[in-house]
Amino acid sequence: MRPRDSFLFTHLLLQLLLPLTLSLLHPPHHHVPTLVPHAPTRLIRSRFSARAQLDLTTHCNSSCFHRAELEAQQREQLTDKLAFETLYADGSRTLTTVDVEGDDEEFQGDEEGHFAHPSPGRHRPTLKVTPGHRRVRRQIYGADGRFNIRGDNFLLDYPFSTAVRISTGCTGVLVSRLHILTAAHCVHDGKDYVKGARKLRVGFLIPPSINGTKAGLDSAKKPLVRWLRVKRTRVPKGWIQGPQEVSMDFDYALLELRWPHRRPYMRLSVAPFSDDLAGKRIHFSGFDSDRSGELVYRFCPVEEESSDLIYQHCDARPGASGSGVYGRVWDNSLERWERKVIGIFSGHQWLEIDGENRDYNVAVRITPLKFAQICYWVHGNRLDCVQD
């Protein structure tokens, strides 16, 4: 076994053992509000004029960050951002406005400091526009810590089997038998849908051995991709026509397939703060552009966090956008630690913390309100949208 493969095997083994040491620690329960949709309104057809942007980079100053805090106390602005567009396979689209039902604490935060969307969180960074500095190998920090996932024993095994390709060049994660969560910027640039969204497809990796390749040649062959058509796409209004620095908080979209798949999928969870994550680590697998045809896995600790974003230094390149960011969270119904999707990898953000310029890779965290919205998209009703 090569040293790199040995390290990956050891890490995966530790991930299995780690929950045993944490079985007595139960994170606080999150309040999940109820999303009440109105009848959809028809919109004009999309022009599909936008270009897919695989490398999203934003700058956010303190005013854009604190604007989100003020909106936490204004339900009108929140419900406006939680409205959503639905794009259908024939090119038609609709807008669905919503109301949100819930106690005030679901908007202001509970007594233990766990907030809904968006309000200040623990370890809140100070954000400031960074001068026009660029790093040559942006999104790779120090030694490259990514792992290529190969072979039937990994590609078809959970959780790697939940990662799928998006035909516009991004990654997605399976969250039901029909649904894939990805980044909004992979299908919509904030003003219009990208050209490739007209005939959007989702790609499932098929290992070489399943395609009749001899076992001895498996390692030399790249997996094939089986593509399935998307029936409809949903994007939150908070992403559409919003200032990029603020709309990054809503950089997520849900794709619905025409027919169900047979792969295992990963369940969603309201994102806990890092103190309530096993090992304080996040993980995600994606299709980075510099490793064509390969599924690439990485993990790293959470560095900073706000109410809507997870700041980290997980190595990533364009193409990884839309990957499902997961961690081990406590499942109350199963009474054990489970891998669950707690965010969506978005891109890169420049900011300043304590007077020092820093750059981070950023994931959009699933807040209680976002959980309620995405859950409604998946189930089509309010009754099944209760946080475990």
Side-chain angles (χ1 to χ4, degrees), residues 52-183:
Q53 184 180 1
L54 304 184
D55 188 12
L56 180 65
T57 299
T58 59
H59 299 73
C60 186
N61 58 25
S62 58
S63 63
C64 87
F65 185 75
H66 292 296
R67 179 166 59 245
E69 291 182 19
L70 295 175
E71 289 173 358
Q73 302 174 18
Q74 301 178 26
R75 292 195 182 193
E76 296 80 6
Q77 295 186 27
L78 280 174
T79 53
D80 182 62
K81 288 180 169 58
L82 289 169
F84 56 89
E85 277 194 14
T86 302
L87 173 69
Y88 298 90
D90 63 0
S92 63
R93 61 192 179 110
T94 60
L95 173 65
T96 304
T97 57
V98 302
D99 286 327
V100 178
E101 294 180 352
D103 297 332
D104 287 342
E105 66 178 3
E106 292 165 1
F107 294 84
Q108 304 295 335
D110 60 28
E111 62 184 6
E112 294 176 309
H114 290 76
F115 291 85
H117 171 86
S119 52
R122 291 179 287 182
H123 312 299
R124 183 177 68 192
T126 301
L127 304 182
K128 185 177 180 179
V129 173
T130 303
H133 171 66
R134 292 290 185 274
R135 53 189 295 155
V136 177
R137 298 182 62 212
R138 182 161 34 83
Q139 296 184 330
I140 300 293
Y141 299 89
D144 195 336
R146 297 173 296 167
F147 300 90
N148 285 17
I149 303 302
R150 299 189 179 98
D152 295 4
N153 57 329
F154 282 132
L155 283 175
L156 294 181
D157 282 353
Y158 185 90
F160 305 118
S161 57
T162 65
V164 292
R165 294 181 63 179
I166 308 301
S167 57
T168 54
C170 291
T171 301
V173 60
L174 303 174
V175 293
S176 84
R177 295 293 180 197
L178 281 170
H179 298 92
I180 293 89
L181 191 63
T182 189

Side-chain angles (χ1 to χ4, degrees), residues 313-330:
H313 285 151
C314 283
D315 293 324
R317 296 295 292 162
S321 291
S323 298
V325 173
Y326 63 90
R328 286 190 178 274
V329 298
W330 183 256

Side-chain angles (χ1 to χ4, degrees), residues 43-48 86-93 198:
L43 302 174
I44 62 173
R45 288 174 175 265
S46 171
R47 294 174 297 159
F48 299 100
T86 302
L87 173 69
Y88 298 90
D90 63 0
S92 63
R93 61 192 179 110
R198 186 189 298 271

Side-chain angles (χ1 to χ4, degrees), residues 150-152 207-210 212-222:
R150 299 189 179 98
D152 295 4
S209 60
I210 294 181
T213 305
K214 293 182 179 179
L217 299 177
D218 283 355
S219 60
K221 294 281 187 177
K222 290 185 178 181

